[in-house]
Amino acid sequence: MPGKIRTAQSVSFDVPADQQPYLHNRWHPDIPSVGAVEPGETVKIECLDWTGGQIGNNDSANDVRDIDLSKIHYLTGPFDVKGAEPGDLLVVNITDIQPFDHSPWGFTGVFDKTNGGGFLEEHYPKAAKAIWDFDGIYCSSRHIPGVRFPGLIHPGILGCAPSKEVLAEWNRREGSLVEAGTSTHPGKTLAHLPLEKSVHATTADGELKARIAKEGARTVPGRPEHGGNVDICNISRGSKTYLPVHVPGAKFSVGDLHFSQGDGEISFCGAIEMAGVITIKFDLIKNGVKSRAVPHPVFLPGEVAPHYGPSRYLTFEGFSVDEQGKQHYMDATIAYRQACLRSIAYLKQFGYSGEQIYLLLSCAPVRGCIAGIVDIPNVCTTLGVPMDIFDFDISIEKEPVKRDLGSCAYTS
C-alpha cells in the first residue's frame, strides 16, 4: 500500500506572511531552504495567495487600490531536492492543486494606474475587484453575474533559485533597460529592480538578509533561465515542467496559485488568485541541461482542461493599429490590446460594465494567440471568448439584450 503523501510545508492564515519563516518574496541563491524532498517523492506544499492575505472577501476595491506591491509575491520554499546539482533538470510533475477547504474563494483585481496598473490601464485607470466562489471545479461571482465556468487550476510561479552569476545577469540586463528607458520611455517603469523595502527571505537575518535585500531579484517577471512568474495556465494538473538547476539542491519554490486565468492575464492581478495546496512529484534528469539541450524551462501540459468546442469561441481580431488610428510596426502588444478592447465593447452591449468584462477576460478561459507575425506592418492577434460560460446567448446572430448585471467592487 502506498504511504500517505506528506505535507512538506504548511502555511498560516493567522500569522502575517512576512513573519512566516518558510516564505520568501525575492529570488536569491542564499535564501535559506525550508525543507528537503527526495527525487521520486510526492509532497503537498501549502501556499498563501500572492499578496499574503492583503485582499479581502468583501465588496470594496480599496484593498486593491492600496495594496503594498513591495511585499509580493509570497512563495513557499525554497526546497532542496536531494542530489540536485547545477546542470541537472528538475522535473516538476503537478499531480493536484486545490483551494483550502476553509477558504473556497478567490479574487481578480484591476490595479489602480498609480499602483501597479495593467494592460488596459489607459482605459481603466481605477481599481476594481471581483470575488469568486468555488463550487468543486466551477466558479461564479456575485460581482460578474451571468457566468460560470470550470477552473484550470495552476501555479503562477514555480522556479529554482538563480546562481550568483545568473542573478547578476538579471540585475545587469534589467538595470540597463531601466537606464535606457529614462530617455526612451520617460516616466514609465520598465523593470522592477532590487528593492530593500519589505524583503522577506525565510529565516535570513542580519548581514545575510541585508545582502539578499540589496541583491535579490523581484518576483514580478518570469525570466528565461528559471521560469518564475510565467503565469501559464496550462502548467496545471498532470503537467510536467523541466527546470534547469543552477545551485546545489535546486532550491525550488512555488506560489501565486490561480483557480483560473485567461491567456495574457491582462489586468495584472488578472487570474482568480487563491490560497491552496499544490501536490508535486519531483524527479531529476542528471546533466539534463546539456544532454537534452534544454537550458531554459520546457513543459508538457496536463490532460485536464475546460472543453469548449472550437466553434463555440467568439473570436475577436486585433492588429498593430491603435485606437487613435496610429500605425505601428509589427507590434503584437498593440494588436492584442485591440482584440481585448473590441471584445469589451461587444460584451458591454449585454449590460456589463467595462471593468466587469476587463476582469472577466483576465480570469475566464479565453484563448489568445498570435495568428500572423509575417505580414508587415501588422501583427494579427486573436482573442477567443467561450460563449458557453454565459447563461445567455452572446452570439452575433442573437440581437443583444441589455440586462441588469450588477456591479463589480469599486473603491469608495
Side-chain angles (χ1 to χ4, degrees), residues 131-177:
I131 299 297
W132 296 86
D133 297 307
F134 305 148
D135 178 15
I137 66 171
Y138 296 97
C139 64
S140 59
S141 174
R142 63 184 182 269
H143 294 128
I144 311 177
V147 294
R148 185 173 185 261
F149 53 85
L152 183 58
I153 307 180
H154 61 280
I157 299 179
L158 71 169
C160 298
S163 65
K164 292 181 179 179
E165 294 76 16
V166 169
L167 177 62
E169 171 62 11
W170 292 352
N171 289 333
R172 180 202 65 77
R173 70 189 184 211
E174 291 170 24
S176 297
L177 178 66

mmCIF file of all heavy atoms in Angstrom, residues 131-177:
data_model
loop_
_atom_site.group_PDB
_atom_site.id
_atom_site.type_symbol
_atom_site.label_atom_id
_atom_site.label_comp_id
_atom_site.label_asym_id
_atom_site.label_seq_id
_atom_site.Cartn_x
_atom_site.Cartn_y
_atom_site.Cartn_z
ATOM 1 N N ILE A 131 -14.893 39.073 -6.549
ATOM 2 C CA ILE A 131 -14.713 37.892 -5.700
ATOM 3 C C ILE A 131 -15.386 36.702 -6.374
ATOM 4 O O ILE A 131 -16.506 36.817 -6.887
ATOM 5 C CB ILE A 131 -15.314 38.119 -4.293
ATOM 6 C CG1 ILE A 131 -14.627 39.288 -3.596
ATOM 7 C CG2 ILE A 131 -15.206 36.842 -3.449
ATOM 8 C CD1 ILE A 131 -13.139 39.091 -3.333
ATOM 9 N N TRP A 132 -14.692 35.561 -6.371
ATOM 10 C CA TRP A 132 -15.212 34.339 -6.990
ATOM 11 C C TRP A 132 -15.393 33.265 -5.920
ATOM 12 O O TRP A 132 -14.510 33.054 -5.084
ATOM 13 C CB TRP A 132 -14.238 33.840 -8.053
ATOM 14 C CG TRP A 132 -14.073 34.790 -9.193
ATOM 15 C CD1 TRP A 132 -13.207 35.847 -9.270
ATOM 16 C CD2 TRP A 132 -14.816 34.794 -10.412
ATOM 17 N NE1 TRP A 132 -13.363 36.505 -10.458
ATOM 18 C CE2 TRP A 132 -14.342 35.884 -11.190
ATOM 19 C CE3 TRP A 132 -15.824 33.975 -10.932
ATOM 20 C CZ2 TRP A 132 -14.850 36.174 -12.457
ATOM 21 C CZ3 TRP A 132 -16.327 34.264 -12.190
ATOM 22 C CH2 TRP A 132 -15.843 35.354 -12.934
ATOM 23 N N ASP A 133 -16.527 32.605 -5.966
ATOM 24 C CA ASP A 133 -16.807 31.480 -5.066
ATOM 25 C C ASP A 133 -16.608 30.175 -5.820
ATOM 26 O O ASP A 133 -17.017 30.049 -6.980
ATOM 27 C CB ASP A 133 -18.237 31.571 -4.528
ATOM 28 C CG ASP A 133 -18.454 32.807 -3.684
ATOM 29 O OD1 ASP A 133 -17.666 33.028 -2.744
ATOM 30 O OD2 ASP A 133 -19.399 33.569 -3.979
ATOM 31 N N PHE A 134 -15.996 29.192 -5.155
ATOM 32 C CA PHE A 134 -15.689 27.913 -5.785
ATOM 33 C C PHE A 134 -16.724 26.868 -5.390
ATOM 34 O O PHE A 134 -17.108 26.763 -4.223
ATOM 35 C CB PHE A 134 -14.299 27.428 -5.360
ATOM 36 C CG PHE A 134 -13.199 28.427 -5.614
ATOM 37 C CD1 PHE A 134 -12.099 28.498 -4.773
ATOM 38 C CD2 PHE A 134 -13.258 29.305 -6.691
ATOM 39 C CE1 PHE A 134 -11.084 29.411 -4.995
ATOM 40 C CE2 PHE A 134 -12.258 30.220 -6.935
ATOM 41 C CZ PHE A 134 -11.154 30.280 -6.070
ATOM 42 N N ASP A 135 -17.150 26.117 -6.391
ATOM 43 C CA ASP A 135 -18.090 25.014 -6.196
ATOM 44 C C ASP A 135 -17.493 23.815 -6.919
ATOM 45 O O ASP A 135 -17.785 23.571 -8.091
ATOM 46 C CB ASP A 135 -19.461 25.394 -6.745
ATOM 47 C CG ASP A 135 -20.477 24.274 -6.611
ATOM 48 O OD1 ASP A 135 -20.222 23.318 -5.848
ATOM 49 O OD2 ASP A 135 -21.530 24.333 -7.280
ATOM 50 N N GLY A 136 -16.623 23.078 -6.231
ATOM 51 C CA GLY A 136 -15.904 21.995 -6.887
ATOM 52 C C GLY A 136 -14.994 22.562 -7.954
ATOM 53 O O GLY A 136 -14.172 23.441 -7.698
ATOM 54 N N ILE A 137 -15.160 22.087 -9.197
ATOM 55 C CA ILE A 137 -14.305 22.574 -10.274
ATOM 56 C C ILE A 137 -14.830 23.881 -10.875
ATOM 57 O O ILE A 137 -14.165 24.468 -11.734
ATOM 58 C CB ILE A 137 -14.163 21.536 -11.400
ATOM 59 C CG1 ILE A 137 -15.500 21.299 -12.118
ATOM 60 C CG2 ILE A 137 -13.583 20.235 -10.864
ATOM 61 C CD1 ILE A 137 -15.373 20.452 -13.376
ATOM 62 N N TYR A 138 -16.008 24.361 -10.422
ATOM 63 C CA TYR A 138 -16.637 25.530 -11.024
ATOM 64 C C TYR A 138 -16.468 26.772 -10.153
ATOM 65 O O TYR A 138 -16.244 26.690 -8.939
ATOM 66 C CB TYR A 138 -18.128 25.270 -11.269
ATOM 67 C CG TYR A 138 -18.388 24.179 -12.265
ATOM 68 C CD1 TYR A 138 -18.664 22.877 -11.836
ATOM 69 C CD2 TYR A 138 -18.346 24.429 -13.627
ATOM 70 C CE1 TYR A 138 -18.896 21.865 -12.750
ATOM 71 C CE2 TYR A 138 -18.575 23.427 -14.549
ATOM 72 C CZ TYR A 138 -18.839 22.147 -14.110
ATOM 73 O OH TYR A 138 -19.058 21.134 -15.026
ATOM 74 N N CYS A 139 -16.624 27.931 -10.798
ATOM 75 C CA CYS A 139 -16.580 29.186 -10.060
ATOM 76 C C CYS A 139 -17.643 30.133 -10.606
ATOM 77 O O CYS A 139 -18.043 30.049 -11.769
ATOM 78 C CB CYS A 139 -15.203 29.838 -10.143
ATOM 79 S SG CYS A 139 -14.710 30.348 -11.809
ATOM 80 N N SER A 140 -18.093 31.038 -9.741
ATOM 81 C CA SER A 140 -19.033 32.091 -10.124
ATOM 82 C C SER A 140 -18.777 33.282 -9.215
ATOM 83 O O SER A 140 -18.135 33.164 -8.163
ATOM 84 C CB SER A 140 -20.484 31.618 -10.010
ATOM 85 O OG SER A 140 -20.756 31.205 -8.676
ATOM 86 N N SER A 141 -19.296 34.444 -9.633
ATOM 87 C CA SER A 141 -19.000 35.674 -8.902
ATOM 88 C C SER A 141 -20.247 36.520 -8.728
ATOM 89 O O SER A 141 -20.995 36.751 -9.683
ATOM 90 C CB SER A 141 -17.933 36.487 -9.654
ATOM 91 O OG SER A 141 -17.735 37.749 -9.036
ATOM 92 N N ARG A 142 -20.443 37.021 -7.522
ATOM 93 C CA ARG A 142 -21.532 37.967 -7.286
ATOM 94 C C ARG A 142 -21.257 39.306 -7.964
ATOM 95 O O ARG A 142 -22.167 40.117 -8.152
ATOM 96 C CB ARG A 142 -21.734 38.179 -5.785
ATOM 97 C CG ARG A 142 -20.536 38.796 -5.042
ATOM 98 C CD ARG A 142 -20.807 38.870 -3.549
ATOM 99 N NE ARG A 142 -19.749 39.484 -2.762
ATOM 100 C CZ ARG A 142 -18.746 38.838 -2.204
ATOM 101 N NH1 ARG A 142 -18.637 37.509 -2.376
ATOM 102 N NH2 ARG A 142 -17.836 39.475 -1.481
ATOM 103 N N HIS A 143 -19.989 39.539 -8.328
ATOM 104 C CA HIS A 143 -19.616 40.807 -8.942
ATOM 105 C C HIS A 143 -19.661 40.775 -10.472
ATOM 106 O O HIS A 143 -19.598 41.827 -11.115
ATOM 107 C CB HIS A 143 -18.214 41.208 -8.477
ATOM 108 C CG HIS A 143 -18.144 41.510 -7.020
ATOM 109 N ND1 HIS A 143 -17.216 40.925 -6.166
ATOM 110 C CD2 HIS A 143 -18.900 42.326 -6.247
ATOM 111 C CE1 HIS A 143 -17.399 41.381 -4.941
ATOM 112 N NE2 HIS A 143 -18.413 42.229 -4.964
ATOM 113 N N ILE A 144 -19.740 39.570 -11.050
ATOM 114 C CA ILE A 144 -19.892 39.426 -12.501
ATOM 115 C C ILE A 144 -20.939 38.339 -12.727
ATOM 116 O O ILE A 144 -20.618 37.211 -13.111
ATOM 117 C CB ILE A 144 -18.554 39.066 -13.187
ATOM 118 C CG1 ILE A 144 -17.435 39.992 -12.729
ATOM 119 C CG2 ILE A 144 -18.696 39.141 -14.716
ATOM 120 C CD1 ILE A 144 -16.073 39.642 -13.314
ATOM 121 N N PRO A 145 -22.208 38.642 -12.474
ATOM 122 C CA PRO A 145 -23.245 37.610 -12.601
ATOM 123 C C PRO A 145 -23.427 37.183 -14.053
ATOM 124 O O PRO A 145 -23.045 37.876 -14.985
ATOM 125 C CB PRO A 145 -24.496 38.294 -12.053
ATOM 126 C CG PRO A 145 -24.232 39.753 -12.185
ATOM 127 C CD PRO A 145 -22.754 39.931 -12.023
ATOM 128 N N GLY A 146 -24.022 35.994 -14.198
ATOM 129 C CA GLY A 146 -24.329 35.505 -15.540
ATOM 130 C C GLY A 146 -23.257 34.637 -16.142
ATOM 131 O O GLY A 146 -23.385 34.224 -17.298
ATOM 132 N N VAL A 147 -22.192 34.341 -15.401
ATOM 133 C CA VAL A 147 -21.149 33.462 -15.920
ATOM 134 C C VAL A 147 -20.803 32.389 -14.889
ATOM 135 O O VAL A 147 -20.893 32.609 -13.678
ATOM 136 C CB VAL A 147 -19.856 34.230 -16.306
ATOM 137 C CG1 VAL A 147 -20.105 35.154 -17.469
ATOM 138 C CG2 VAL A 147 -19.308 35.006 -15.117
ATOM 139 N N ARG A 148 -20.431 31.224 -15.389
ATOM 140 C CA ARG A 148 -19.970 30.112 -14.561
ATOM 141 C C ARG A 148 -19.087 29.240 -15.434
ATOM 142 O O ARG A 148 -19.440 28.944 -16.577
ATOM 143 C CB ARG A 148 -21.153 29.294 -14.036
ATOM 144 C CG ARG A 148 -20.795 28.165 -13.063
ATOM 145 C CD ARG A 148 -22.080 27.566 -12.491
ATOM 146 N NE ARG A 148 -21.835 26.557 -11.468
ATOM 147 C CZ ARG A 148 -21.854 25.245 -11.688
ATOM 148 N NH1 ARG A 148 -22.102 24.778 -12.925
ATOM 149 N NH2 ARG A 148 -21.625 24.383 -10.703
ATOM 150 N N PHE A 149 -17.920 28.853 -14.917
ATOM 151 C CA PHE A 149 -17.010 28.047 -15.730
ATOM 152 C C PHE A 149 -16.086 27.227 -14.835
ATOM 153 O O PHE A 149 -15.875 27.563 -13.661
ATOM 154 C CB PHE A 149 -16.189 28.944 -16.675
ATOM 155 C CG PHE A 149 -15.468 30.082 -16.006
ATOM 156 C CD1 PHE A 149 -14.220 29.918 -15.434
ATOM 157 C CD2 PHE A 149 -16.052 31.348 -15.969
ATOM 158 C CE1 PHE A 149 -13.552 30.972 -14.840
ATOM 159 C CE2 PHE A 149 -15.392 32.420 -15.385
ATOM 160 C CZ PHE A 149 -14.142 32.231 -14.812
ATOM 161 N N PRO A 150 -15.537 26.138 -15.388
ATOM 162 C CA PRO A 150 -14.579 25.335 -14.634
ATOM 163 C C PRO A 150 -13.203 25.989 -14.659
ATOM 164 O O PRO A 150 -12.816 26.627 -15.641
ATOM 165 C CB PRO A 150 -14.572 23.994 -15.373
ATOM 166 C CG PRO A 150 -14.925 24.359 -16.780
ATOM 167 C CD PRO A 150 -15.872 25.523 -16.686
ATOM 168 N N GLY A 151 -12.478 25.818 -13.573
ATOM 169 C CA GLY A 151 -11.155 26.409 -13.480
ATOM 170 C C GLY A 151 -10.058 25.450 -13.914
ATOM 171 O O GLY A 151 -10.121 24.250 -13.654
ATOM 172 N N LEU A 152 -9.054 25.990 -14.599
ATOM 173 C CA LEU A 152 -7.832 25.261 -14.910
ATOM 174 C C LEU A 152 -6.802 25.717 -13.876
ATOM 175 O O LEU A 152 -6.048 26.665 -14.083
ATOM 176 C CB LEU A 152 -7.375 25.572 -16.336
ATOM 177 C CG LEU A 152 -6.139 24.815 -16.845
ATOM 178 C CD1 LEU A 152 -6.362 23.304 -16.788
ATOM 179 C CD2 LEU A 152 -5.812 25.243 -18.266
ATOM 180 N N ILE A 153 -6.798 25.029 -12.730
ATOM 181 C CA ILE A 153 -6.019 25.496 -11.578
ATOM 182 C C ILE A 153 -4.527 25.295 -11.837
ATOM 183 O O ILE A 153 -4.105 24.244 -12.311
ATOM 184 C CB ILE A 153 -6.460 24.747 -10.306
ATOM 185 C CG1 ILE A 153 -7.981 24.848 -10.132
ATOM 186 C CG2 ILE A 153 -5.755 25.302 -9.091
ATOM 187 C CD1 ILE A 153 -8.505 24.128 -8.901
ATOM 188 N N HIS A 154 -3.733 26.301 -11.482
ATOM 189 C CA HIS A 154 -2.305 26.243 -11.786
ATOM 190 C C HIS A 154 -1.535 27.219 -10.898
ATOM 191 O O HIS A 154 -2.103 28.172 -10.369
ATOM 192 C CB HIS A 154 -2.057 26.594 -13.261
ATOM 193 C CG HIS A 154 -2.500 27.979 -13.628
ATOM 194 N ND1 HIS A 154 -3.822 28.286 -13.889
ATOM 195 C CD2 HIS A 154 -1.817 29.140 -13.758
ATOM 196 C CE1 HIS A 154 -3.920 29.570 -14.170
ATOM 197 N NE2 HIS A 154 -2.728 30.118 -14.090
ATOM 198 N N PRO A 155 -0.225 26.991 -10.742
ATOM 199 C CA PRO A 155 0.605 27.978 -10.062
ATOM 200 C C PRO A 155 1.077 29.036 -11.047
ATOM 201 O O PRO A 155 1.531 28.723 -12.148
ATOM 202 C CB PRO A 155 1.782 27.138 -9.552
ATOM 203 C CG PRO A 155 1.923 26.050 -10.572
ATOM 204 C CD PRO A 155 0.524 25.766 -11.064
ATOM 205 N N GLY A 156 0.981 30.306 -10.654
ATOM 206 C CA GLY A 156 1.547 31.346 -11.491
ATOM 207 C C GLY A 156 3.061 31.330 -11.477
ATOM 208 O O GLY A 156 3.705 31.719 -12.450
ATOM 209 N N ILE A 157 3.635 30.877 -10.348
ATOM 210 C CA ILE A 157 5.091 30.920 -10.176
ATOM 211 C C ILE A 157 5.617 29.560 -9.736
ATOM 212 O O ILE A 157 5.119 28.970 -8.769
ATOM 213 C CB ILE A 157 5.498 31.968 -9.124
ATOM 214 C CG1 ILE A 157 5.046 33.371 -9.543
ATOM 215 C CG2 ILE A 157 7.008 31.949 -8.891
ATOM 216 C CD1 ILE A 157 5.391 34.455 -8.541
ATOM 217 N N LEU A 158 6.615 29.080 -10.425
ATOM 218 C CA LEU A 158 7.431 27.970 -9.949
ATOM 219 C C LEU A 158 8.811 28.137 -10.574
ATOM 220 O O LEU A 158 8.942 28.536 -11.725
ATOM 221 C CB LEU A 158 6.821 26.599 -10.268
ATOM 222 C CG LEU A 158 6.782 26.073 -11.698
ATOM 223 C CD1 LEU A 158 6.377 24.596 -11.674
ATOM 224 C CD2 LEU A 158 5.836 26.835 -12.579
ATOM 225 N N GLY A 159 9.842 27.860 -9.779
ATOM 226 C CA GLY A 159 11.184 28.046 -10.307
ATOM 227 C C GLY A 159 12.235 27.621 -9.310
ATOM 228 O O GLY A 159 11.959 27.418 -8.119
ATOM 229 N N CYS A 160 13.445 27.469 -9.805
ATOM 230 C CA CYS A 160 14.595 27.168 -8.979
ATOM 231 C C CYS A 160 15.381 28.452 -8.720
ATOM 232 O O CYS A 160 15.316 29.409 -9.504
ATOM 233 C CB CYS A 160 15.502 26.137 -9.653
ATOM 234 S SG CYS A 160 14.722 24.537 -9.949
ATOM 235 N N ALA A 161 16.143 28.461 -7.647
ATOM 236 C CA ALA A 161 16.924 29.648 -7.315
ATOM 237 C C ALA A 161 17.983 29.915 -8.380
ATOM 238 O O ALA A 161 18.553 28.984 -8.956
ATOM 239 C CB ALA A 161 17.600 29.457 -5.961
ATOM 240 N N PRO A 162 18.267 31.183 -8.650
ATOM 241 C CA PRO A 162 19.350 31.511 -9.579
ATOM 242 C C PRO A 162 20.703 31.323 -8.903
ATOM 243 O O PRO A 162 20.819 31.413 -7.677
ATOM 244 C CB PRO A 162 19.101 32.983 -9.887
ATOM 245 C CG PRO A 162 18.513 33.515 -8.605
ATOM 246 C CD PRO A 162 17.631 32.385 -8.089
ATOM 247 N N SER A 163 21.717 31.047 -9.696
ATOM 248 C CA SER A 163 23.086 31.110 -9.174
ATOM 249 C C SER A 163 23.468 32.580 -9.000
ATOM 250 O O SER A 163 22.761 33.492 -9.464
ATOM 251 C CB SER A 163 24.048 30.436 -10.144
ATOM 252 O OG SER A 163 24.091 31.157 -11.365
ATOM 253 N N LYS A 164 24.592 32.828 -8.358
ATOM 254 C CA LYS A 164 25.063 34.208 -8.213
ATOM 255 C C LYS A 164 25.303 34.834 -9.573
ATOM 256 O O LYS A 164 25.019 36.022 -9.785
ATOM 257 C CB LYS A 164 26.332 34.235 -7.362
ATOM 258 C CG LYS A 164 26.102 33.860 -5.914
ATOM 259 C CD LYS A 164 27.396 33.918 -5.098
ATOM 260 C CE LYS A 164 27.113 33.549 -3.641
ATOM 261 N NZ LYS A 164 28.351 33.576 -2.825
ATOM 262 N N GLU A 165 25.806 34.025 -10.514
ATOM 263 C CA GLU A 165 26.078 34.546 -11.856
ATOM 264 C C GLU A 165 24.785 34.876 -12.592
ATOM 265 O O GLU A 165 24.679 35.914 -13.267
ATOM 266 C CB GLU A 165 26.895 33.526 -12.653
ATOM 267 C CG GLU A 165 28.294 33.276 -12.133
ATOM 268 C CD GLU A 165 28.335 32.393 -10.883
ATOM 269 O OE1 GLU A 165 27.318 31.723 -10.582
ATOM 270 O OE2 GLU A 165 29.393 32.371 -10.212
ATOM 271 N N VAL A 166 23.788 33.995 -12.485
ATOM 272 C CA VAL A 166 22.507 34.247 -13.140
ATOM 273 C C VAL A 166 21.829 35.469 -12.525
ATOM 274 O O VAL A 166 21.280 36.328 -13.232
ATOM 275 C CB VAL A 166 21.603 33.003 -13.059
ATOM 276 C CG1 VAL A 166 20.171 33.338 -13.483
ATOM 277 C CG2 VAL A 166 22.157 31.889 -13.947
ATOM 278 N N LEU A 167 21.861 35.576 -11.196
ATOM 279 C CA LEU A 167 21.265 36.733 -10.526
ATOM 280 C C LEU A 167 21.931 38.027 -10.980
ATOM 281 O O LEU A 167 21.251 39.031 -11.255
ATOM 282 C CB LEU A 167 21.385 36.572 -9.014
ATOM 283 C CG LEU A 167 20.870 37.742 -8.169
ATOM 284 C CD1 LEU A 167 19.374 37.964 -8.400
ATOM 285 C CD2 LEU A 167 21.158 37.504 -6.696
ATOM 286 N N ALA A 168 23.259 38.012 -11.062
ATOM 287 C CA ALA A 168 23.977 39.207 -11.516
ATOM 288 C C ALA A 168 23.580 39.579 -12.936
ATOM 289 O O ALA A 168 23.452 40.767 -13.274
ATOM 290 C CB ALA A 168 25.485 38.976 -11.419
ATOM 291 N N GLU A 169 23.358 38.581 -13.793
ATOM 292 C CA GLU A 169 22.950 38.852 -15.169
ATOM 293 C C GLU A 169 21.551 39.460 -15.206
ATOM 294 O O GLU A 169 21.281 40.402 -15.976
ATOM 295 C CB GLU A 169 23.001 37.568 -15.997
ATOM 296 C CG GLU A 169 22.391 37.648 -17.391
ATOM 297 C CD GLU A 169 23.075 38.648 -18.307
ATOM 298 O OE1 GLU A 169 24.153 39.155 -17.961
ATOM 299 O OE2 GLU A 169 22.506 38.934 -19.381
ATOM 300 N N TRP A 170 20.619 38.944 -14.378
ATOM 301 C CA TRP A 170 19.293 39.546 -14.307
ATOM 302 C C TRP A 170 19.383 41.022 -13.945
ATOM 303 O O TRP A 170 18.779 41.874 -14.601
ATOM 304 C CB TRP A 170 18.433 38.838 -13.247
ATOM 305 C CG TRP A 170 18.050 37.448 -13.571
ATOM 306 C CD1 TRP A 170 18.238 36.782 -14.755
ATOM 307 C CD2 TRP A 170 17.400 36.531 -12.687
ATOM 308 N NE1 TRP A 170 17.749 35.506 -14.655
ATOM 309 C CE2 TRP A 170 17.230 35.319 -13.415
ATOM 310 C CE3 TRP A 170 16.956 36.591 -11.379
ATOM 311 C CZ2 TRP A 170 16.617 34.204 -12.844
ATOM 312 C CZ3 TRP A 170 16.349 35.486 -10.805
ATOM 313 C CH2 TRP A 170 16.181 34.305 -11.532
ATOM 314 N N ASN A 171 20.131 41.316 -12.898
ATOM 315 C CA ASN A 171 20.221 42.693 -12.428
ATOM 316 C C ASN A 171 20.929 43.586 -13.446
ATOM 317 O O ASN A 171 20.588 44.766 -13.593
ATOM 318 C CB ASN A 171 20.923 42.744 -11.073
ATOM 319 C CG ASN A 171 20.054 42.173 -9.951
ATOM 320 O OD1 ASN A 171 18.820 42.192 -10.036
ATOM 321 N ND2 ASN A 171 20.686 41.669 -8.907
ATOM 322 N N ARG A 172 21.902 43.019 -14.172
ATOM 323 C CA ARG A 172 22.621 43.813 -15.176
ATOM 324 C C ARG A 172 21.691 44.201 -16.318
ATOM 325 O O ARG A 172 21.570 45.379 -16.668
ATOM 326 C CB ARG A 172 23.810 43.028 -15.733
ATOM 327 C CG ARG A 172 24.610 43.802 -16.795
ATOM 328 C CD ARG A 172 25.399 42.872 -17.698
ATOM 329 N NE ARG A 172 24.545 42.008 -18.504
ATOM 330 C CZ ARG A 172 23.882 42.409 -19.595
ATOM 331 N NH1 ARG A 172 23.954 43.672 -19.997
ATOM 332 N NH2 ARG A 172 23.137 41.548 -20.280
ATOM 333 N N ARG A 173 21.016 43.194 -16.897
ATOM 334 C CA ARG A 173 20.235 43.495 -18.094
ATOM 335 C C ARG A 173 18.982 44.293 -17.771
ATOM 336 O O ARG A 173 18.576 45.169 -18.544
ATOM 337 C CB ARG A 173 19.906 42.221 -18.861
ATOM 338 C CG ARG A 173 18.922 41.278 -18.217
ATOM 339 C CD ARG A 173 18.865 39.961 -18.966
ATOM 340 N NE ARG A 173 17.866 39.068 -18.418
ATOM 341 C CZ ARG A 173 17.964 37.743 -18.421
ATOM 342 N NH1 ARG A 173 19.023 37.158 -18.967
ATOM 343 N NH2 ARG A 173 16.989 36.999 -17.914
ATOM 344 N N GLU A 174 18.348 44.036 -16.623
ATOM 345 C CA GLU A 174 17.169 44.812 -16.265
ATOM 346 C C GLU A 174 17.559 46.226 -15.859
ATOM 347 O O GLU A 174 16.838 47.190 -16.146
ATOM 348 C CB GLU A 174 16.382 44.087 -15.181
ATOM 349 C CG GLU A 174 15.730 42.809 -15.715
ATOM 350 C CD GLU A 174 15.128 41.907 -14.643
ATOM 351 O OE1 GLU A 174 14.793 42.420 -13.552
ATOM 352 O OE2 GLU A 174 14.991 40.683 -14.897
ATOM 353 N N GLY A 175 18.727 46.371 -15.214
ATOM 354 C CA GLY A 175 19.221 47.703 -14.894
ATOM 355 C C GLY A 175 19.536 48.504 -16.142
ATOM 356 O O GLY A 175 19.262 49.709 -16.212
ATOM 357 N N SER A 176 20.094 47.830 -17.156
ATOM 358 C CA SER A 176 20.388 48.510 -18.424
ATOM 359 C C SER A 176 19.109 48.974 -19.100
ATOM 360 O O SER A 176 19.057 50.052 -19.697
ATOM 361 C CB SER A 176 21.163 47.571 -19.353
ATOM 362 O OG SER A 176 22.419 47.228 -18.803
ATOM 363 N N LEU A 177 18.057 48.160 -19.013
ATOM 364 C CA LEU A 177 16.770 48.532 -19.607
ATOM 365 C C LEU A 177 16.204 49.774 -18.924
ATOM 366 O O LEU A 177 15.728 50.704 -19.587
ATOM 367 C CB LEU A 177 15.784 47.374 -19.493
ATOM 368 C CG LEU A 177 14.378 47.622 -20.031
ATOM 369 C CD1 LEU A 177 14.396 47.828 -21.535
ATOM 370 C CD2 LEU A 177 13.446 46.463 -19.653
#
